[in-house]
Amino acid sequence: MPTVLEADVRAASTLPPSALDARVSTDRFPPPAIEARGLKKGYFGVQALQGVDFTVATGEIRALLGKNGAGKSTLVNILCGAEAPDAGTLAIAGRPVEVFAPGQANALGVATVHQELSLVPEMSVAENILLGRWGGHRRGGWVDPAALRREAAGVLAEFGVEIDPAAKVRSLSIAQQQLVEIARGLSFNPRLLILDEPTSSLPASEVEMLLRTLRLLSARGVAVIYVSHRMDEIPRIAHSVTVLRDGRHIDTLPIAEAPTAEIVRRMTGGTSGIGAEAQRRRPARSPGRVALKVNGLATATKLKGVSFELREGEIVGLAGLLGAGRTALMRAIYGLDPVAAGRIEIFGEAPADRSPRAMIRHGVGLVPENRKKEGLVLDMSISKSLVLSALHKVVHRALLSRRREGRLAQRATERMSIKLASLSDPVRTLSGGNQQKVVLGRCVNADVKVFLLDEPTRGVDIDAKHQIYALLEDLAAQGTAVLVASSEMEELMLFCDRLLLMKGGAIVGEREVAHTDLAEVMTITMGSAVSSTRLETR
Ligand SMILES: Nc1ncnc2c1ncn2[C@@H]1O[C@H](COP(=O)(O)OP(=O)(O)OP(=O)(O)O)[C@@H](O)[C@H]1O
Ligand SMILES: [Mg+2]
């Protein structure tokens, strides 16, 4: 019922005056949903939080912002009881929490969607959503899968998501998995919902759905803590923002007093190298030979005859909605998934066999969407991880010299401004965004002629995003052919020469970036009637 909903949303946008000042706690207003004082947390050499106060009112949506490694996830982990602070106090709905065991969080009404996906791939969507709560669905001692599916379907429907509750999580895309994680958080009916970068891999339409759901929850009095690097989302959803920098609380402001430029200034401490995005000038590039030629590529389940060419020194973007086939296309090209039909040529040569190994030999590199599963070994050192894909280059000289590894790793660290304590630390000690930078940092070192990048800027902060754009532009300037998928279409328009517009496993349009705009790209990828008449123009 949209009218009721809209009224609710309007009501939610007027918060009690105590919302931003935790010390005021009158009888008229409920106690803050969560109140933290003097939180400290250190990991070996790193002081991740250095005495942070943090209070969120009932029904308030608070954006938690900061650069990669600022301490956002650390704060989230403490607020939800996943980690204990070294010092500080915590109260939930006015009740001090002494021993805050992880299992307690849900009982206290706190649900968290963590930055790193934590689903069990071999279980179904329904089992994952209701994980640990199958008790009510037992029949004669056995869990009744139909009852589980029904309840999960209810949660998904309320959230507006169309995912089969019986599907195995393993078979879902990253974006769909992220939606399942969020649905799981919602299923607890929490009074405080914490979301650590929930939209980092969601395309526009799903982001809208989530923002709508959160506004509705807020109107019902649910407090929300929202971590995101997508600055455009913040003014649309948050009542207030908190900025962290180097583990310190820098500022908490009502959203009306925090224009994006101000937030960025506080995040970076005024050192951001980013000018106005409008001033960004794309260097004129002159594409060379055809580096990658794909003809009629089809897979059993997703791709329906995809054909395109990618030239040396060219950056081509893959735009499309959730499930459009961007990841499937990259995986098929790279030889990760079997191909039903079609031909792939690298500089006019078709690789003898279709495997990642053969593609690497031909100079093709892939930066996968799922860094945890395919990109990174979390226990490996940062230094080794940075040179891994350049290994054939290092090993070529018959020995993996430590000094050489160190030099390559050092170069990538500087290039990507990776925030770390020591290069020999395991990758797992890095913040989410810095892990992503490691995956990308390799490409500085690797000897790659055709680059496939799937969501390269997922979860990295605004400065790092621009570093990555610059990196891709440098690679292109050196003659590398770059194919990049992103669910943020605005960003593709910043640094791509050309866009391939995907929908339903096919390329449904192609545009020079200079001759199109966001509205047109969105219309075509969403596939309304207007767009289909335009498709013939390619
Ligand atoms: N388990 C750990 N061991 C060692 N250091 C850690 C660990 N977890 C986090 N850190 C360090 O603490 C600091 C804060 O990390 P945190 O994950 O909170 O950052 P973040 O703000 O969430 O960043 P991002 O935007 O990249 O997710 C970083 O310097 C990180 O390297
Ligand atoms: Mg984080």
Side-chain angles (χ1 to χ4, degrees):
M1 276 171 286
T3 47
V4 174
L5 194 153
E6 280 158 20
D8 274 355
V9 170
R10 264 198 306 279
S13 62
T14 33
L15 279 174
S18 62
L20 294 174
D21 188 350
R23 285 156 301 184
V24 184
S25 177
T26 67
D27 295 339
R28 271 199 314 135
F29 301 115
I34 196 156
E35 179 169 10
R37 297 269 149 210
L39 292 183
K40 288 190 183 165
K41 179 77 187 176
Y43 300 100
F44 314 106
V46 185
Q47 211 41 51
L49 290 180
Q50 338 208 17
V52 168
D53 294 346
F54 187 78
T55 303
V56 181
T58 299
E60 179 178 7
I61 303 183
R62 171 74 56 84
L64 179 57
L65 306 174
K67 294 185 63 175
N68 295 132
K72 303 179 297 294
S73 296
T74 305
L75 178 57
V76 162
N77 286 338
I78 292 174
L79 296 182
C80 72
E83 288 197 55
D86 299 337
T89 61
L90 202 59
I92 290 176
R95 273 178 39 205
V97 184
E98 293 291 342
V99 195
F100 198 2
Q104 244 188 309
N106 297 327
L108 289 165
V110 179
T112 309
V113 178
H114 288 284
Q115 183 171 17
E116 300 297 335
L117 299 173
S118 61
L119 301 173
V120 186
E122 294 309 317
M123 292 205 286
S124 73
V125 169
E127 285 164 336
N128 269 284
I129 289 180
L130 301 168
L131 195 65
R133 289 169 291 163
W134 300 349
H137 303 90
R138 280 182 204 282
R139 221 174 39 191
W142 296 92
V143 176
D144 176 5
L148 262 186
R149 280 202 296 275
R150 267 196 309 278
E151 184 173 344
V155 174
L156 289 165
E158 201 179 342
F159 178 25
V161 173
E162 274 178 45
I163 295 174
D164 177 7
K168 287 259 188 294
V169 159
R170 166 168 47 78
S171 70
L172 303 182
S173 71
I174 299 285
Q176 286 171 319
Q177 292 185 25
Q178 208 164 20
L179 292 170
V180 171
E181 288 262 9
I182 297 168
R184 176 172 156 75
L186 295 172
S187 72
F188 287 100
N189 281 324
R191 76 172 125 224
L192 171 65
L193 179 62
I194 308 179
L195 302 145
D196 196 350
E197 290 194 51
T199 57
S200 62
S201 67
L202 294 187
S205 54
E206 277 73 18
V207 171
E208 289 311 312
M209 219 161 54
L210 176 63
L211 298 191
R212 229 177 13 243
T213 305
L214 294 183
R215 279 194 294 262
L216 187 61
L217 288 176
S218 152
R220 292 182 193 154
V222 177
V224 178
I225 298 171
Y226 192 83
V227 181
S228 175
H229 287 293
R230 290 189 171 184
M231 300 302 292
D232 55 321
E233 292 171 356
I234 306 307
R236 300 186 46 216
I237 176 103
H239 297 112
S240 52
V241 300
T242 290
V243 177
L244 296 183
R245 189 171 73 233
D246 295 330
R248 290 199 173 81
H249 176 273
I250 300 298
D251 224 338
T252 294
L253 295 164
I255 192 68
E257 292 167 29
T260 305
E262 274 307 300
I263 298 175
V264 171
R265 200 174 59 77
R266 283 173 171 79
M267 277 168 59
T268 59
T271 61
S272 173
I274 305 160
E277 303 217 334
Q279 282 169 16
R280 190 183 171 76
R281 282 207 27 231
R282 198 151 353 105
R285 281 189 286 268
S286 40
R289 294 175 294 164
V290 173
L292 170 70
K293 183 171 174 160
V294 172
N295 205 341
L297 194 66
T299 60
T301 52
K302 191 91 216 180
L303 299 179
K304 298 178 186 133
V306 171
S307 305
F308 69 93
E309 284 180 359
L310 177 66
R311 292 175 175 273
E312 286 175 312
E314 193 183 30
I315 307 183
V316 172
L318 278 181
L321 299 182
L322 177 54
R326 295 166 301 170
T327 297
L329 177 56
M330 293 205 168
R331 290 180 57 92
I333 295 173
Y334 197 62
L336 279 169
D337 290 338
V339 160
R343 188 178 166 81
I344 295 170
E345 289 175 13
I346 318 293
F347 291 102
E349 236 181 88
D353 67 309
R354 207 64 87 49
S355 68
R357 182 175 279 271
M359 296 315 273
I360 291 168
R361 255 203 321 272
H362 278 79
V364 180
L366 172 81
V367 175
E369 177 185 28
N370 187 348
R371 59 174 176 255
K372 212 169 175 179
K373 203 167 97 206
E374 292 152 24
L376 279 182
V377 182
L378 293 178
D379 286 324
M380 191 182 276
S381 73
I382 299 167
S383 160
K384 263 224 169 35
S385 306
L386 275 167
V387 299
L388 191 69
S389 76
L391 222 54
H392 56 287
K393 204 154 119 186
V394 182
V395 174
H396 221 65
R397 317 210 154 177
L399 78 162
L400 199 152
S401 124
R402 268 193 166 275
R403 261 184 48 213
R404 195 165 151 68
E405 176 187 313
R407 231 182 12 249
L408 283 170
Q410 191 59 41
R411 196 173 79 187
T413 309
E414 282 162 18
R415 185 76 207 255
M416 305 298 301
S417 347
I418 297 171
K419 184 178 172 184
L420 48 74
S422 157
L423 271 170
S424 56
D425 287 344
V427 169
R428 74 165 70 256
T429 64
L430 294 176
S431 76
N434 281 298
Q435 290 182 15
Q436 178 69 0
K437 291 191 200 172
V438 168
V439 175
L440 272 154
R442 294 171 181 173
C443 68
V444 186
N445 293 324
D447 211 0
V448 166
K449 298 191 190 76
V450 177
F451 239 111
L452 313 174
L453 302 108
D454 200 355
E455 302 283 355
T457 61
R458 176 176 177 207
V460 307
D461 68 47
I462 181 160
D463 270 347
K465 277 184 184 163
H466 284 260
Q467 282 159 359
I468 291 169
Y469 306 154
L471 178 74
L472 297 184
E473 285 174 343
D474 280 1
L475 287 170
Q478 291 159 24
T480 308
V482 180
L483 183 68
V484 50
S486 169
S487 38
E488 288 183 69
M489 294 179 193
E490 298 90 328
E491 107 175 341
L492 289 179
M493 310 208 63
L494 278 179
F495 64 90
C496 291
D497 301 300
R498 198 156 49 98
L499 297 183
L500 302 174
L501 311 177
M502 289 197 78
K503 181 172 180 278
I507 294 179
V508 295
E510 183 179 334
R511 291 288 184 277
E512 300 282 333
V513 167
H515 299 128
T516 185
D517 57 26
L518 193 59
E520 186 185 41
V521 170
M522 301 258 298
T523 316
I524 297 175
T525 50
M526 291 202 232
S528 77
V530 194
S531 64
S532 53
T533 57
R534 285 197 193 145
L535 299 185
E536 276 66 55
T537 58
R538 46 178 296 224

